[in-house]
Each structure stands twice: as C-alpha cells, then as structure tokens.
Amino acid sequence: MRDDRVAYVPRLLRALVRADELWLVMLAAAVGCAAGLLVGAMSHATLLAHRLLFAAPGIGRISGLEAIAPARAILVPTLGGLLLGLLGVWVTRRVPGRPVDPIEANALHGGRMSIRDSAIVAVQTVLSNSVGASVGLEAGFTQIGAATGSRLGRMFRVRREDLRLLVGCGAAGAIGAAFDAPLAGAFYAFELVIGTYSLANLAPVAAASVSAIGVAHLLHSTVPGVSVVLPAALRMDDYLPIATLGIVAALLGVGLMYCVTLAEMLFRRSGLPVWMRPAIGGLVVGLLALASPSVMSSGHWAMRVALEHAMPTGQVLALLVMKALASSVSIGAGFRGGLFFASLYLGVLTGAAFGGGLALISATPLSAELCALVGMSAMAVAVVGAPMTMVFLALEMTGSLPLTAAVLVASVISSLTVRRTFGYSFATWRFHLRGESIRSAVDIGWIRTLTVGRMMRHDVKTLCQDTTVQAARRAYPLGSGQRIVLVDQAGRYVGLVLVPELYAESALPDETLARFAQYRDQMLTPQMNLREAIARFEQAESDALVVVDSAEGRQVRGMLTEQHALRRYSEELDRSRRELAGEKGPSA
C-alpha cells in the first residue's frame, strides 16, 4: 500500500505541471509581485514628498496633521498644479492618444494596455498626491499594476481571456497591497476589472493578491490597522438605521460624482488654459487646507483620526463639505487620481454625522464607530461600485463579524440605490460622458472587432443597370443565385435585384434591370461592427445587403447576409458566456 502511495505522488506532480492553469497561476503571482513593488515605490515616494514639501513629521501623512504652515499649504499645491499642467501639455504633444484604464481595456480591447501610457498616469498620480491634491493613489496603483499584467501576458502570448485575467490580477495585487487586504484586492478585480467571479479565475487572482501583499510587507509599505471598539452583536432593530445610512451614503456618493462633473465643466468653460487649471485647483485646495489639512491628499490618515477620535457633529459636517469640495475641484481641475480613497474618508464622515444625528432621536443609538465604518463602506460602494470588495475590506480591517453583516446590508442597499437613481459608478460614469457605452468590464470588445469587412462574402455577382432582362436571364438562369448587384457605368452601386423577379410574367425581356433595383440607399461598409450591421438589416428589412467602400464612393466590395451575421453574433455570445462561467474553450 505504501509503494502505491509513493508511486502516485510523481504522477500527481506531473499532472499538476502539465495543467494549463499552473503556469497561469505562476504568471499571476509574478504580476502580483510586480504590482506590490510598484505600489510600495509609489507610496514611499509620496510620503517622502510630503515630508520634504510640507515638513510633515513622522512618516509624512499630511491629512492627519492638525495644521500646516500657511505658506506651504497654499504654495505647494498651487506650484505643483502648475508643474502638473505644464507636464500634461508636454505629454500630450509627445504622446498622442488617451491612456486606456483597466476596465476599458478589458471591456473593449481584450486586456491590451500600454505600459508607457500607464507609467505616465502613475507618475502624474504620484505628483498630484505629493503636492497635496485631494485625490487618491489607487488610480495610479491599479493602472500600472494592470498594465504590468497586460505586458507580461502579451510577452507570453496568452489567450485573450487569459490576458484579461492578468489585467485583473495586476489590479488585485495593487489594491491588496494598498490596503493589506488580500480578499478585498481579489474581489476588487472580480467586480470591477474582470467583470465576474468564477472558480477557474480564483487561483490566479488570489495568487496575485497574496504575492503583492508579501512584497508590500517586505518593503514596509503596508498601512497600519485601525483600532476601534465595536459592539459584540447587533439587534434586529439596528438594521433599519443601517439600511437608512446606506441610502444616505448612496445619495451623497451620486452627488459627489455630479460635483466632479460640474467642476470639470466649469473649468472647461472658464477660458483658462489647460496648463493653468491645476494651479487654480491647487490654490483652492490650499485655501481649504488652512481650515483643515484633512482635505489634502487621499485622506487615509484623516480617516484613521476620524475613526479613533470622536468629533462634534458640526465639525464633521464641515469637514464633509470641505473634503467633497476639495476632491471635486482637484479632479475637475485636471489632477490625476481617483475617488476610492477619498470616498472612504467621506464615508467615515457621513457615518459619523449620521450617528451623531441618530443619537439625538434614538434612545439606543448605534455606536459612532459602527456608523462610521458602515458609512465608509456604503459611500465607497456608491462611488466605486464594488459591494463585496467593501464587505471583505471591512472584515479584514476589523475582524468583526457583526460589522461585516452591517456592511453587507448597507452595501447592498447603497448599490441598489445608485443603480436605480444614477446607474453608474464613477469610472463608468466618466466613460458615459465620453460617449462610451461601458457599464462594466465584461468583454464587449469583440463586437467592435468583428467588423463587416471580416464577415462579408467577396464573390459578388454584378451587372450594369442598363442590362436587359433577357440578357440577365441568359447570364443567371433561375436557380443559379438569389441576388444580382447592380452597378452603373463607373462601377458604383445602384441597387439589388432578386433573380426570381426577372422570371415573373410582368418582367418584359427588353426592360433594363434598373426598374427592378431595390435597397438603393441601404448599404454596409467594411468598417461597421457587428452591432451596427444588425441594426442596418433591421432598418432595411432585408436579409442581405451589399458592402461598399464608403457611402460616397459606393464601390462594391462584397455582400453580407443577416443570417450569417446573426450566427456569428450567437457564436461570440456563447464564447463570452463560456468565458464568464470559467470554461476553457479554444483560443479566440
């Protein structure tokens, strides 16, 4: 029996080595290590800048300071904004095009990202945070982490679905290392960057998240835990105010996203040069920092202060308004960064204010710490759109199961409220403003890449429109084909003729084919994607359309049938379904 067990071990090891998933897990772990290294470098760079530029004591987190020298509070973000604006103009001239973020890359581009563009975004994010702009580093973290996954995947020529998975692994490692929370990092990738959870994707994403956190610990770049006192259990009647807090946080999150959009619109309409706008935004943030430095940077340390030290409700509301204004102005003016970190601090303030108000009207109010953490999670869900990420983040931050249950309720309520009233997270809202129809990272890029030019048939039967019916009958006997494409003397498309109509009793032998032409202005072009082609078929009410080079040139290039287009659409939908379910199919 022992010999059988010993003989079984090498067979098992060989099976594991041959498994397709093993090398992908190893590659994902490498992506996670790279993400952890980059997160650590960016974090240390910003903290060093805070110590040098703001004379911040200790580790250099400025948002937790009680006061900053007025000259530094105003000059650093103003001059830093000017530097960022000039850098942005230089980058625009040298590097044309717009960077693709991880969600957009996975939704439209099959996971393809530019490492150069992402490095530029990371540098701009570090610069923005270093000079005190009210933005978070998570945008730079996930951008460079996901781009690293995309780059390594293309180096090893992985399949399209595996490349998208590696982009998610990079984002998972970045968020996991940023919060020292492997589960939160993994579910951030599942909910936002990959677009769905599947068992087949769990091992690579988990490997990336854990590897990134290990590197972050080696670099001493992890954030210390939060020390709060939480109730040991919750009563059933506690969940009503918790659900109400979820609704309040959701509405404030929607308001915050509208404020960012309004700030961007005001800066565009101001007539200020693009390079000057960040300087003006930095000046506004500096003036707000004179009242409280907590409005500066991501607000991570200010969040700790708000959680561990009770403040009067009036002060909490004032900080909430100032931080929301600072974040809106910073992003609207052109500073690089995200709202994830800022939404956590804003959520803590929202929960603290809600708890203070609840204490005035309830004989058994919820604890201030519980309200603050629930508000933190609900606000982040409203802005970022990842409820399970926040549930696991709350669990990993505190280890409290009662809090986790409360966060789950508030997060679900917040997500539903935003979906019904607004319909977008911050990232997808910005896609919507650019005209992109992206609601998640689920892959819809195949719709754009599957063009008419790739699907059309090239062997097209054509005749001049002056050809007689008798001549057409000799060239195309009944049963030889269904359609004839008519062109003029210059070869330009003028319409379609159905062959059976030429053999009808009403068709005179000496008539020209021009009388039988249909669909004269209903055409396809090779650049149209599958969705546009299907819409054109529905509009024309035809089962086949001619493909021309352009609407102006009208030179015939081929023909496409509605049946073939719908079959390809069904095949791609089935492939996408298999991918979402974690089933491995043939390479796309």
Side-chain angles (χ1 to χ4, degrees):
M1 186 68 178
R2 170 182 283 183
D3 293 340
D4 292 340
R5 288 199 301 266
V6 171
Y8 178 73
V9 172
R11 290 200 300 270
L12 175 62
L13 293 177
R14 286 197 300 268
L16 289 174
V17 170
R18 287 197 301 267
D20 293 337
E21 290 81 5
L22 182 61
W23 70 270
L24 187 60
V25 171
M26 296 174 62
L27 190 56
V31 171
C33 291
L37 180 63
L38 293 167
V39 167
M42 293 171 66
S43 299
H44 285 301
T46 54
L47 294 178
L48 177 61
H50 290 168
R51 290 200 296 269
L52 296 177
L53 297 176
F54 294 97
I59 59 177
R61 297 188 181 274
I62 58 176
S63 65
L65 300 178
E66 295 183 358
I68 296 177
R72 291 179 182 269
I74 293 177
L75 289 178
V76 172
T78 303
L79 296 179
L82 181 62
L83 175 61
L84 181 71
L86 295 174
L87 176 63
V89 172
W90 183 85
V91 168
T92 301
R93 292 176 178 175
R94 297 295 191 280
V95 185
R98 177 181 51 79
V100 175
D101 92 328
I103 298 177
E104 185 181 4
N106 270 4
L108 298 180
H109 306 291
R112 300 182 67 87
M113 297 178 67
S114 168
I115 194 73
R116 180 194 61 182
D117 292 349
S118 299
I120 292 173
V121 170
V123 170
Q124 291 175 325
T125 303
V126 169
L127 177 57
S128 298
N129 194 277
S130 297
V131 299
S134 186
V135 293
L137 286 169
E138 77 282 354
F141 289 165
T142 56
Q143 182 77 28
I144 193 64
T148 301
S150 177
R151 180 61 180 171
L152 286 177
R154 283 183 288 147
M155 285 176 58
F156 286 91
R157 302 180 184 276
V158 300
R159 299 175 298 182
R160 179 187 179 96
E161 56 266 31
D162 290 337
L163 184 61
R164 296 178 68 252
L165 176 60
L166 289 175
V167 169
C169 290
I175 295 299
F179 289 100
D180 194 16
L183 290 175
F187 274 86
Y188 180 93
F190 287 133
E191 293 184 291
L192 295 180
V193 182
I194 299 174
T196 186
Y197 168 83
S198 68
L199 188 60
N201 295 339
L202 177 60
V205 173
S209 185
V210 172
S211 299
I213 292 173
V215 173
H217 277 279
L218 290 176
L219 298 177
H220 303 288
S221 61
T222 54
V223 179
V226 178
S227 178
V228 293
V229 178
L230 295 169
L234 293 175
R235 305 183 305 272
M236 288 303 299
D237 56 352
D238 289 335
Y239 286 97
L240 179 59
I242 287 171
T244 304
L245 177 54
I247 296 174
V248 171
L251 297 178
L252 290 178
V254 172
L256 176 63
M257 290 185 274
Y258 271 122
C259 286
V260 172
T261 304
L262 177 61
E264 290 177 329
M265 182 185 68
L266 292 176
F267 273 105
R268 283 197 303 268
R269 294 181 178 179
S270 65
L272 291 171
V274 175
W275 57 268
M276 189 182 295
R277 295 174 191 171
I280 303 301
L283 176 61
V284 174
V285 173
L287 292 173
L288 292 172
L290 295 178
S292 173
S294 66
V295 303
M296 305 190 86
S297 188
S298 61
H300 193 88
W301 211 253
M303 180 186 72
R304 293 176 55 88
V305 173
L307 283 172
E308 297 175 357
H309 301 86
M311 293 183 289
T313 303
Q315 181 182 355
V316 170
L317 290 174
L319 291 176
L320 176 63
V321 172
M322 288 193 297
K323 180 62 177 179
L325 178 59
S327 296
S328 301
V329 169
S330 296
I331 296 179
F335 282 103
R336 280 282 188 182
L339 278 181
F340 189 4
F341 284 14
S343 68
L344 296 177
Y345 180 40
L346 289 169
V348 167
L349 295 175
T350 300
F354 182 87
L358 191 64
L360 298 177
I361 61 175
S362 175
T364 56
L366 298 173
S367 71
E369 294 84 359
L370 178 68
C371 288
L373 288 168
V374 170
M376 175 195 77
S377 303
M379 177 72 79
V381 168
V383 173
V384 179
M388 292 308 299
T389 299
M390 295 313 304
V391 169
F392 284 112
L393 180 60
L395 177 62
E396 291 174 303
M397 284 178 61
T398 64
S400 171
L401 291 178
L403 171 68
T404 305
V407 166
L408 178 61
V409 171
S411 297
V412 170
I413 294 295
S414 175
S415 179
L416 290 174
T417 302
V418 172
R419 185 180 304 173
R420 296 299 182 185
T421 60
F422 189 59
Y424 300 91
S425 66
F426 182 62
T428 56
W429 171 241
R430 296 175 75 78
F431 294 144
H432 170 72
L433 294 177
R434 293 206 311 256
E436 296 282 3
S437 57
I438 304 174
R439 292 300 184 101
S440 72
V442 174
D443 190 6
I444 60 172
W446 57 268
I447 295 179
R448 299 191 178 190
T449 58
L450 194 59
T451 61
V452 170
R454 292 177 56 188
M455 295 185 294
M456 68 182 183
R457 181 166 51 86
H458 296 273
D459 54 332
V460 180
K461 301 176 180 180
T462 62
L463 283 178
C464 180
Q465 63 178 342
D466 298 329
T467 304
T468 64
V469 171
Q470 185 175 3
R473 287 174 177 174
R474 288 196 300 266
Y476 297 100
L478 190 63
S480 63
Q482 294 182 336
R483 305 169 192 87
I484 302 174
V485 177
L486 295 187
V487 296
D488 60 15
Q489 296 294 337
R492 292 164 52 90
Y493 171 71
V494 295
L496 270 178
V497 173
L498 299 180
V499 173
E501 291 189 1
L502 301 181
Y503 289 87
E505 295 181 359
S506 59
L508 302 178
D510 295 332
E511 286 184 297
T512 62
L513 297 183
R515 186 177 77 83
F516 300 90
Q518 303 180 39
Y519 312 113
R520 294 177 180 269
D521 297 318
Q522 300 294 336
M523 303 164 288
L524 302 173
T525 59
Q527 295 77 25
M528 285 183 175
N529 61 47
L530 180 57
R531 179 175 293 172
E532 293 170 334
I534 293 175
R536 185 63 59 89
F537 281 120
E538 293 178 353
Q539 178 185 2
E541 297 182 354
S542 172
D543 59 353
L545 288 174
V546 171
V547 182
V548 298
D549 60 344
S550 66
E552 296 78 20
R554 300 173 72 100
Q555 297 295 315
V556 177
R557 293 291 181 263
M559 180 176 291
L560 180 65
T561 64
E562 184 180 27
Q563 180 183 9
H564 180 66
L566 291 175
R567 185 172 68 251
R568 290 299 307 273
Y569 186 67
S570 177
E571 291 171 352
E572 291 298 329
L573 279 180
D574 184 61
R575 184 190 62 81
S576 180
R577 180 200 60 78
R578 292 197 307 269
E579 180 184 339
L580 291 177
E583 301 175 12
K584 297 295 183 181
S587 178

Coordinates of all heavy atoms in Angstrom, one line a residue, residues 40 43-44 47 61 214-223:
G40 N 4.5 49.9 -3.5 CA 5.5 50.3 -2.4 C 6.3 51.5 -2.9 O 6.5 52.4 -2.1
S43 N 4.1 54.6 -3.0 CA 3.7 55.1 -1.6 C 4.9 55.7 -0.9 O 4.7 56.8 -0.3 CB 3.2 53.9 -0.8 OG 2.1 53.2 -1.3
H44 N 6.0 55.1 -1.0 CA 7.2 55.8 -0.3 C 7.6 57.1 -1.0 O 8.0 58.0 -0.3 CB 8.4 54.8 -0.4 CG 8.3 53.7 0.6 ND1 8.2 53.8 2.0 CD2 8.3 52.3 0.4 CE1 8.1 52.7 2.6 NE2 8.2 51.7 1.6
L47 N 5.1 59.8 0.4 CA 5.4 60.1 1.8 C 6.7 60.9 1.9 O 6.7 61.9 2.7 CB 5.5 58.8 2.6 CG 4.2 58.0 2.7 CD1 4.4 56.7 3.5 CD2 3.1 58.8 3.4
R61 N 2.3 61.6 6.6 CA 0.9 61.7 6.1 C 0.3 63.0 6.5 O 0.0 63.2 7.7 CB 0.2 60.5 6.7 CG 0.7 59.1 6.2 CD -0.1 58.0 6.6 NE 0.4 56.7 6.2 CZ 0.2 56.2 5.0 NH1 -0.5 56.8 4.1 NH2 0.8 55.0 4.6
G214 N 2.7 40.3 0.2 CA 4.0 39.8 0.7 C 5.1 40.8 0.3 O 6.0 41.1 1.2
V215 N 5.2 41.3 -0.9 CA 6.2 42.2 -1.3 C 6.0 43.5 -0.6 O 7.0 44.2 -0.1 CB 6.1 42.5 -2.8 CG1 7.0 43.6 -3.3 CG2 6.5 41.2 -3.6
A216 N 4.7 44.0 -0.4 CA 4.5 45.2 0.3 C 5.0 45.1 1.8 O 5.5 46.1 2.3 CB 3.0 45.5 0.3
H217 N 4.8 44.0 2.4 CA 5.3 43.8 3.8 C 6.9 43.8 3.8 O 7.4 44.4 4.7 CB 4.8 42.5 4.3 CG 3.5 42.5 4.9 ND1 3.2 43.0 6.2 CD2 2.3 42.2 4.4 CE1 1.9 42.9 6.4 NE2 1.3 42.4 5.3
L218 N 7.5 43.3 2.8 CA 8.9 43.3 2.7 C 9.4 44.8 2.6 O 10.5 45.1 3.1 CB 9.5 42.5 1.6 CG 9.3 41.0 1.7 CD1 9.8 40.3 0.4 CD2 10.1 40.5 2.9
L219 N 8.7 45.6 1.9 CA 9.0 47.0 1.7 C 8.5 47.9 2.8 O 8.7 49.1 2.7 CB 8.5 47.5 0.3 CG 9.0 46.8 -0.9 CD1 8.3 47.3 -2.2 CD2 10.5 46.9 -1.0
H220 N 7.8 47.4 3.7 CA 7.2 48.1 4.8 C 6.3 49.3 4.3 O 6.4 50.4 4.8 CB 8.3 48.7 5.7 CG 9.3 47.7 6.3 ND1 8.9 46.8 7.3 CD2 10.5 47.4 6.0 CE1 9.9 46.0 7.6 NE2 10.9 46.3 6.8
S221 N 5.5 49.0 3.3 CA 4.7 50.0 2.7 C 3.2 49.7 3.1 O 2.3 50.4 2.5 CB 4.8 50.0 1.2 OG 4.5 48.8 0.6
T222 N 2.9 48.7 3.9 CA 1.5 48.5 4.3 C 1.0 49.5 5.3 O 1.8 50.1 6.0 CB 1.3 47.1 4.8 OG1 2.3 46.9 5.9 CG2 1.6 46.0 3.8
V223 N -0.3 49.7 5.3 CA -0.9 50.7 6.2 C -1.2 50.0 7.5 O -1.8 48.9 7.5 CB -2.2 51.2 5.5 CG1 -2.9 52.2 6.5 CG2 -1.9 51.9 4.2

